[in-house]
Amino acid sequence: MLFRSAKPNADITQALSNAWKDACAAIGSSKVVVPAGTYKLGLVSLKGPCKGPIEVQVEGTLQAPVDPGYFKGSDGWVVFERIDQFTLSGSGSFDGQGQMAWKKNDCSKTFNCKTLAVNIRFNFITNSLVRDIKSLNSKNFHINLLGCKNFTFQHVTITAPGDSPNTDGIHIGRSSGINITDTNIATGDDCISMGDRSQDVTINKVTCGPGHGISIGSLGKYTNEEPVSGIRVIGCTLTDTTNGVRIKTWPSNPTSGSATDMHFEDI
């Protein structure tokens, strides 16, 4: 299924949503392809479960709405949810066009800051792969994982200026069996960050910088956080980062959480 009729700078929000619904309902393997070109894309939520393995191949550049007010408090621009055997591939880019949003970001000053959109959210994705795609200038985190299992990121490129606030490259939360390899991240916050119940995570051959480094945490900010364990950071290069590898904790709340089985090698 291809957007063959899509015109340069066209808005493909509805077309992508319709193509996803058709592909997700198809029996057997299916694929949605966004061809080369530049396209406008509004808020989209691409949900499963699907009836077979499904792939989205992005060869063009997808541009988010510039005005952060467009999202009206929604915390994700492109959301993939509850899919098994999913692949996101291609040489294309997800351009969050976050420059206007960064000027309005006051999260470093107040906990009650306005929610800004993450470029790509993966919620409850299993047995899946992301390869070769690019994420640019997200308004908030570039990629966020929640409740994912057995998920690999390979040769992904993430780029934002070093002074762009809260633009974590990949944030992992309550997920297990996550592998990130051969990936380049240059951003204004943590290149990779891991929240509570991040378990069995391998980060291998990642180049990070600028940014804040590769971080476990912050942990202990909220009550009832679940343990972090089995974190392996191997063969990574960090350049012009404010930190290297670290575990970040909050002192304010009593918590029974823990961080164990940490392995850092050849950094």
Side-chain angles (χ1 to χ4, degrees):
M1 298 182 180
L2 296 126
F3 298 123
R4 293 192 184 280
S5 60
K7 298 179 181 179
N9 296 311
D11 188 315
I12 63 168
T13 306
Q14 194 60 53
L16 177 58
S17 297
N18 292 341
W20 172 266
K21 290 178 182 177
D22 291 342
C24 187
I27 297 175
S29 300
S30 57
K31 179 187 284 190
V32 176
V33 180
V34 181
T38 299
Y39 307 99
K40 305 297 183 184
L41 182 68
L43 177 65
V44 290
S45 184
L46 307 178
K47 297 182 178 181
C50 298
K51 292 187 176 180
I54 186 168
E55 179 173 357
V56 174
Q57 181 180 336
V58 178
E59 299 299 337
T61 296
L62 303 176
Q63 292 182 330
V66 173
D67 185 0
Y70 163 89
F71 294 92
K72 298 179 180 179
S74 296
D75 60 3
W77 169 33
V78 181
V79 180
F80 297 98
E81 187 167 327
R82 300 189 185 279
I83 314 163
D84 185 49
Q85 298 184 76
F86 168 66
T87 300
L88 176 61
S89 67
S91 59
S93 301
F94 292 77
D95 185 355
Q97 301 201 100
Q99 290 87 343
M100 181 186 293
W102 300 334
K103 296 176 184 178
K104 299 181 178 181
N105 190 316
D106 58 356
C107 291
S108 62
K109 300 176 183 177
T110 175
F111 289 133
N112 297 317
C113 56
K114 292 182 179 179
T115 299
L116 296 172
V118 172
N119 259 10
I120 312 173
R121 280 191 171 272
F122 296 103
N123 298 332
F124 310 104
I125 306 296
T126 57
N127 305 312
S128 295
L129 171 67
V130 174
R131 65 168 182 258
D132 299 330
I133 63 138
K134 301 177 182 68
S135 177
L136 310 175
N137 296 326
S138 183
K139 293 175 174 63
N140 197 346
F141 293 4
H142 284 260
I143 294 173
N144 191 93
L145 278 63
L146 175 66
C148 297
K149 295 181 180 179
N150 302 326
F151 200 178
T152 294
F153 291 78
Q154 185 178 67
H155 197 238
V156 173
T157 301
I158 295 172
T159 305
D163 60 353
S164 56
N166 297 109
T167 53
D168 291 45
I170 300 175
H171 179 74
I172 302 166
R174 305 205 164 201
S175 299
S176 62
I178 308 302
N179 295 282
I180 303 171
T181 185
D182 192 24
T183 286
N184 296 301
I185 304 174
T187 187
D189 210 294
D190 294 328
C191 290
I192 299 172
S193 56
M194 290 158 272
D196 79 305
R197 210 172 81 193
S198 295
Q199 299 176 347
D200 187 22
V201 177
T202 299
I203 299 165
N204 184 38
K205 296 181 180 177
V206 168
T207 299
C208 167
H212 294 181
I214 296 174
S215 301
I216 295 152
S218 300
L219 302 177
K221 184 176 181 180
Y222 305 102
T223 58
N224 301 317
E225 291 185 354
E226 300 191 34
V228 174
S229 65
I231 308 300
R232 293 170 292 277
V233 182
I234 303 169
C236 296
T237 300
L238 296 91
T239 305
D240 193 24
T241 57
T242 56
N243 303 272
V245 292
R246 59 177 175 164
I247 301 173
K248 302 190 293 182
T249 60
W250 285 82
S252 55
N253 292 324
T255 177
S256 59
S258 64
T260 61
D261 189 16
M262 306 289 147
H263 185 95
F264 304 109
E265 177 183 341
D266 189 22
I267 308 299

